């Protein structure tokens, strides 16, 4: 498949130009992030997709032992530029807008590039992702001029960050209240993907050799980075010890007839393959210090990375230590049992969402007892409560996020 070329010079003169950065970090859980935005924006603008040199999306070679998959041709067919120095390239092409996901943008190596680009006079826009990354994306620090956020309550949180700081005494987000006129509630393209999942429970069970009639638990461990550094305040146990406790009790539940499907954290897929030039995530995202997998001894059904949203759809409920993936589960009408997540400062950031999304337990035994004593209805969010949550936090009723983002850019930013 041939790479598309940029528009002819005559056409380019009449069109505004958008540089679309696909980012240093490739989440194998969401392999095609950014493509829907490219397709939507390219109807009205010259859009130049940008990849860092040697990006996995352009260079992955398959060895057959991966727990993930993506169609590389979907990226190779773009009119992309593969560059070493992003700010230098942006200076060269001088676009009207530089656009990227907020994912990881609060990290210094990413935010520094954004500030360089902003100092050139180029407008910087960022779209939201799943989880709580937007709560760390201060406009001065991360360099954005415009933020496309996933829900009204998220906008309210970051435009009045003082309310969060009153509740949280440690790990306060390094962010000041943001300008509401620069933040647009559009939804996130990630949830577009979740809403379009079509896999049936029957087909999913066939792929993973599961019994369609037995309950399915979606196990969603958090980022491996804090496993040994994060300590629960009340018990002083580490996050790694919590995982061991959760694993022991999930194995007992398997003996009681439950089926456990583990959606490993995207960072885990770095360490599940023997050292080759590329793994499931771009090598620059390698964090956490793991030399081997975290879960070999558990023996659960480890699903392929790109099947995460399918698992959300077909599972009966989810379990996590403190993953923000639990905040996505309500879109399917289900809850996530969390292990002492109320002790994590992040619980206070959006407590109304978290109170509905999670059922928090104090330990592995309580986790097991809560699951075995609950009927399926108890692990579902009541319809009226779910409708309010979706209106407040997810912005899924006003069309797709990539279309909403394109409309805002066309009508309010690059008119």
């Amino acid at each position: 498949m041939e790479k598309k070329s940029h528009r002819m010079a005559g056409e380019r003169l009449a069109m505004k130009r958008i540089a679309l950065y696909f980012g240093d970090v490739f989440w194998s859980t969401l392999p095609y992030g950014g493509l829907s935005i490219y397709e939507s924006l390219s109807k009205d603008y010259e859009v130049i997709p940008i990849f860092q040199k040697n990006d996995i999306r352009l260079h992955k070679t398959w060895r057959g032992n991966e727990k993930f998959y993506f169609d590389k041709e979907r990226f190779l067919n773009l009119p992309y530029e593969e560059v070493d120095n992003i700010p230098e390239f942006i200076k060269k092409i001088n676009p009207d807008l530089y656009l990227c996901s907020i994912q990881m943008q609060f990290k210094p190596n990413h935010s520094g590039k954004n500030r360089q680009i902003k100092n050139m006079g180029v407008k910087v826009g960022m779209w939201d992702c799943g989880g709580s990354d937007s709560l760390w994306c201060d406009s001065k620090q991360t360099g954005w001029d415009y933020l496309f956020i996933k829900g009204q309550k998220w906008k309210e949180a970051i435009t009045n960050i003082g309310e969060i700081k009153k509740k949280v005494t440690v790990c306060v987000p390094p962010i000041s209240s943001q300008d509401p006129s620069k933040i647009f509630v559009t939804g996130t393209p990630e949830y577009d993907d979740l809403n379009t999942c079509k896999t049936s429970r029957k087909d999913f069970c066939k792929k993973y050799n599961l019994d369609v009639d037995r309950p399915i638990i979606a196990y969603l461990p958090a980022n491996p980075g804090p496993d040994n550094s994060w300590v629960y305040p009340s018990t002083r146990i580490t996050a790694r010890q919590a995982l061991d406790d959760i694993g022991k009790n999930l194995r007992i539940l398997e003996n009681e007839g439950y089926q456990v499907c583990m959606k490993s954290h995207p960072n885990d897929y770095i360490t599940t393959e023997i050292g080759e030039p590329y793994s499931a995530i771009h090598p620059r995202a390698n964090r956490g210090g793991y030399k081997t997998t975290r879960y070999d001894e558990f023996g659960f059904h480890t699903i392929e990375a790109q099947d995460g949203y399918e698992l959300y759809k077909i599972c009966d409920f989810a379990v996590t230590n403190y993953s923000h993936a639990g905040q996505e589960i309500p879109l399917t009408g289900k809850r996530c049992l969390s292990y002492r997540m109320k002790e994590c400062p992040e619980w206070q950031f959006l407590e109304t969402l978290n109170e509905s999304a999670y059922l928090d337990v104090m330990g592995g035994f309580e986790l097991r007892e809560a699951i075995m004593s609950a009927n399926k209805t108890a692990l579902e969010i009541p319809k009226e409560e779910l409708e309010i949550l979706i209106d407040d936090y997810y912005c899924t009723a006003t069309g797709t996020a990539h279309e909403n983002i394109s409309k805002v850019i066309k009508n309010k930013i690059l008119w």
Side-chain angles (χ1 to χ4, degrees):
M1 194 175 288
E2 292 185 5
K3 171 184 170 181
K4 291 180 183 177
S5 61
H6 295 298
R7 296 178 185 269
M8 299 298 291
E11 289 184 272
R12 278 204 306 266
L13 291 174
M15 299 187 74
K16 292 190 175 181
R17 180 180 294 178
I18 297 175
L20 177 62
Y21 181 40
F22 276 76
D24 289 8
V25 179
F26 168 55
W27 266 187
S28 52
T29 305
L30 296 161
Y32 305 113
L35 283 177
S36 62
I37 290 181
Y38 168 79
E39 290 160 2
S40 187
L41 288 173
S42 59
K43 298 172 185 176
D44 296 298
Y45 304 100
E46 181 195 7
V47 183
I48 303 176
I50 302 173
F51 294 87
Q52 193 75 38
K53 197 73 171 177
N54 296 321
D55 194 290
I56 185 175
R57 284 159 283 203
L58 307 178
H59 297 282
K60 172 65 182 173
T61 56
W62 298 96
R63 304 189 301 280
N65 65 326
E66 292 88 352
K67 285 291 186 181
F68 71 102
Y69 180 76
F70 66 94
D71 180 2
K72 187 167 65 174
E73 296 301 317
R74 292 185 64 178
F75 299 105
L76 292 175
N77 193 40
L78 298 173
Y80 65 85
E81 298 287 346
E82 188 178 5
V83 300
D84 279 317
N85 188 313
I86 301 296
E88 186 177 276
F89 180 76
I90 294 299
K91 184 177 182 179
K92 177 182 175 182
I93 64 172
N94 190 30
D96 298 279
L97 178 67
Y98 173 75
L99 190 60
C100 64
S101 168
I102 68 169
Q103 189 177 68
M104 302 299 295
Q105 297 302 315
F106 52 87
K107 298 291 184 178
N109 57 321
H110 302 294
S111 59
K113 286 186 290 191
N114 298 333
R115 294 195 301 272
Q116 281 184 266
I117 291 167
K118 186 173 183 175
N119 289 339
M120 298 173 193
V122 176
K123 297 296 184 184
V124 176
M126 294 184 192
W127 73 85
D128 205 353
C129 61
S132 299
D133 284 10
S134 59
L135 293 173
W136 281 269
C137 275
D138 184 275
S139 59
K140 291 181 180 178
Q141 175 64 27
T142 58
W144 57 265
D145 294 285
Y146 309 105
L147 187 64
F148 308 103
I149 206 161
K150 57 181 168 280
Q152 179 61 33
K153 289 295 184 181
W154 293 92
K155 177 175 179 176
E156 291 176 13
I158 68 170
T159 55
N160 190 14
I161 206 73
E163 290 303 306
I164 290 177
K165 292 184 176 182
K166 288 178 184 177
K167 303 173 186 175
V168 183
T169 57
V170 295
C171 194
V172 176
I175 185 173
S176 58
S177 295
Q178 307 299 293
D179 181 352
S181 70
K182 302 295 185 180
I183 303 171
F184 303 95
V185 179
T186 59
T188 169
E190 288 188 14
Y191 296 162
D192 291 347
D193 294 340
L194 175 56
N195 289 328
T196 57
C197 285
K198 301 297 182 184
T199 300
S200 69
R201 183 177 172 108
K202 180 180 177 181
D203 288 340
F204 188 94
C205 288
K206 182 177 180 181
K207 178 174 181 178
Y208 290 103
N209 195 28
L210 301 166
D211 185 338
V212 69
D213 295 319
R214 288 165 51 199
I216 296 173
I217 301 173
Y219 180 30
L220 313 174
N223 186 341
D227 270 7
N228 293 312
S229 59
W230 164 254
V231 175
Y232 288 88
S234 63
T235 61
R236 308 310 296 171
I237 67 170
T238 66
R240 174 69 207 198
Q241 290 170 320
L243 284 179
D244 291 340
D245 191 17
I246 293 170
K248 177 180 71 176
N249 284 279
L250 289 179
R251 285 198 297 276
I252 294 172
L253 286 170
E254 283 195 316
N255 292 332
E256 297 291 334
Y258 292 84
Q259 301 170 105
V260 180
C261 289
M262 184 169 64
K263 173 195 168 291
S264 191
H265 189 277
N267 280 354
D268 283 324
Y269 289 98
I270 296 169
T271 55
T272 53
E273 300 164 33
I274 304 302
E276 293 279 340
Y278 299 103
S279 60
I281 302 174
H282 194 287
R284 291 177 65 181
N286 196 341
R287 321 190 290 289
Y290 274 86
K291 303 300 182 185
T292 59
T293 61
R294 303 159 84 191
Y295 315 105
D296 274 353
E297 69 277 21
F298 289 177
F300 302 137
H301 300 274
T302 303
I303 67 164
E304 296 175 13
Q306 72 277 3
D307 289 345
Y309 282 167
E310 281 75 8
L311 176 60
Y312 292 1
K313 286 279 190 178
I314 65 91
C315 74
D316 295 289
F317 56 92
V319 169
T320 188
N321 48 345
Y322 53 87
S323 176
H324 294 157
Q327 295 172 343
E328 300 171 345
I329 292 293
L331 282 167
T332 68
K334 301 153 193 171
R335 284 196 172 97
C336 185
L337 285 93
S338 57
Y339 187 101
R340 292 186 174 273
M341 188 171 172
K342 280 191 176 181
E343 295 183 33
C344 302
E346 288 91 336
W347 182 276
Q348 307 299 330
F349 293 171
L350 292 164
E351 59 183 341
T352 302
L353 170 61
N354 291 337
E355 290 284 355
S356 295
Y358 297 98
L359 293 174
D360 204 48
V361 297
M362 302 304 287
F365 175 79
E366 186 180 327
L367 169 73
R368 186 175 84 242
E369 291 297 300
I371 291 171
M372 294 183 68
S373 64
N375 57 37
K376 185 176 179 182
T377 303
L379 297 175
E380 294 177 346
I381 300 174
K383 183 179 178 182
E384 298 78 10
E385 185 179 340
L386 179 62
E387 289 175 351
I388 293 171
L389 281 181
I390 289 176
D391 285 345
D392 285 348
Y393 291 97
Y394 299 111
C395 187
T396 59
T398 57
T400 61
H402 62 270
E403 290 172 336
N404 291 337
I405 291 169
S406 296
K407 288 175 185 175
V408 171
I409 289 174
K410 185 176 182 179
N411 297 329
K412 296 186 178 182
I413 296 175
L414 297 182
W415 61 84

